Amino acid sequence: MIVRGLMELILVMPAPAVQLEAYAVQLRGDAPSVSPDQAKAMSPQELGDLLLARGHPAVLEARIGPEGMEAPPAPGRPIATRVKLYLEPKPSAMNGFCERTVATIYLNAVDLSSDGSIPASRPKTLSTERAYQWIGAGRSASRCKQSKNQYFIPQPGDDKRALEVVSLLASASEAASQGKSPPFPVSLEDRMGAEVLAFQRTHPEMLSPKTKIEIITDEKRALASLPLDEISFVGAASTADPNIVHSVDPQQAITVFVGGVWVVGLELQRGRLNQMRLLRQIPAPF
């Protein structure tokens, strides 16, 4: 537990209001039919030009169909292929962030061909979301175009609060890197370090002798080392798994996933950070 203390930096919710506007992205009215195999053979820009109306930002990445551990379409039913287009990022209206539009397109549902392939069909619907990445206050705007790290998508209608929470967390992390103690309690649990050390004892042949393994016990050091440009989730703690925030007011409890292994639980009080819990763990399903 880090003891409360005085510090020059006061962590208060940023006051200036920001107007967050998404790119104007629309489907092409004359968009042709395309099959998943054809879409995968195109470059992201070519696919974006095929499906989106003129004037859209550059398309840097495209993902077609189910992703990761997502369940495949139910057998025997028409398949509506999903196409996700990730557009070129730009500086956000909130200082310290890049933002990009993620366009999700569903093609008209079709039955499988006799050879098991999915036939071509025209795009039916389009929806957009804003994704953000922390790059640091005062960083160059060109950093947005260079960045390829993790972006996070706030929960619907919660963009402003999500960005403010990340700004507060960044201020606390920066203060910790300067040796300053936050004026609120911080607790730390490093399950990952303990589990990896236990694995090394039972399977020494599986890890390189040079692998540095330790259990992190210093809250200030942990807070200072958080890779905040790799945030993947910011949202209400009640919707997160795990929810590590012990708060009397669930409306003020926020969870942030950082760098794939860190879970940060935050409680706000009157626009300030009131408490913080840090958990390092090996992510599911491992």
Side-chain angles (χ1 to χ4, degrees), residues 19-266:
Q19 188 69 27
L20 300 171
E21 296 183 358
Y23 292 111
V25 179
Q26 296 178 329
L27 285 175
R28 270 184 57 177
D30 60 346
S33 295
V34 62
S35 71
D37 288 341
Q38 291 170 335
K40 292 175 182 178
M42 296 181 183
S43 71
Q45 185 63 42
E46 289 172 338
L47 185 57
D49 291 341
L50 183 78
L51 300 177
L52 300 178
R54 289 185 178 182
H56 65 81
V59 181
L60 304 186
E61 184 181 355
R63 299 179 187 175
I64 295 93
E67 299 179 50
M69 298 181 65
E70 185 177 348
R77 295 185 179 181
I79 297 173
T81 299
R82 183 184 63 206
V83 177
K84 296 185 77 170
L85 302 177
Y86 297 79
L87 308 187
E88 183 178 55
K90 66 175 183 178
S92 177
M94 177 74 84
N95 187 35
F97 292 90
C98 299
E99 69 174 68
R100 71 191 311 180
T101 293
V102 180
T104 300
I105 299 166
Y106 278 93
L107 307 182
N108 281 296
V110 291
D111 294 318
L112 289 177
S113 298
S114 58
D115 62 0
S117 64
I118 303 175
S121 62
R122 298 189 65 228
K124 181 178 181 180
T125 63
L126 176 145
S127 61
T128 60
E129 299 173 291
R130 275 184 301 235
Y132 300 92
Q133 181 194 39
W134 172 258
I135 58 168
R139 298 281 181 87
S140 169
S142 62
R143 171 77 183 274
C144 292
K145 293 186 178 181
Q146 299 169 359
S147 175
K148 295 182 180 180
N149 287 341
Q150 180 73 56
Y151 279 72
F152 64 91
I153 298 176
Q155 294 168 326
D158 205 30
D159 290 47
K160 186 173 183 293
R161 185 172 76 154
L163 301 192
E164 289 170 341
V165 166
V166 172
S167 294
L168 289 175
L169 179 58
S171 294
S173 179
E174 176 65 22
S177 69
Q178 297 172 6
K180 300 175 182 178
S181 297
F184 50 79
V186 179
S187 63
L188 167 64
E189 181 181 2
D190 184 6
R191 296 178 189 170
M192 177 177 168
E195 291 173 0
V196 174
L197 281 174
F199 181 83
Q200 184 187 47
R201 286 193 293 269
T202 56
H203 301 81
E205 75 285 356
M206 298 292 290
L207 296 175
S208 167
K210 297 182 180 180
T211 302
K212 184 178 181 181
I213 304 171
E214 61 178 333
I215 299 176
I216 300 175
T217 58
D218 186 324
E219 294 92 340
K220 191 186 299 182
R221 173 189 164 200
L223 177 56
S225 65
L226 291 176
L228 297 181
D229 60 346
E230 298 179 25
I231 292 175
S232 60
F233 173 87
V234 183
S238 59
T239 67
D241 184 17
N243 175 6
I244 65 171
V245 186
H246 299 160
S247 174
V248 295
D249 183 0
Q251 298 297 320
Q252 299 302 315
I254 307 295
T255 294
V256 183
F257 294 156
V258 186
V261 298
W262 285 102
V263 182
V264 182
L266 304 169

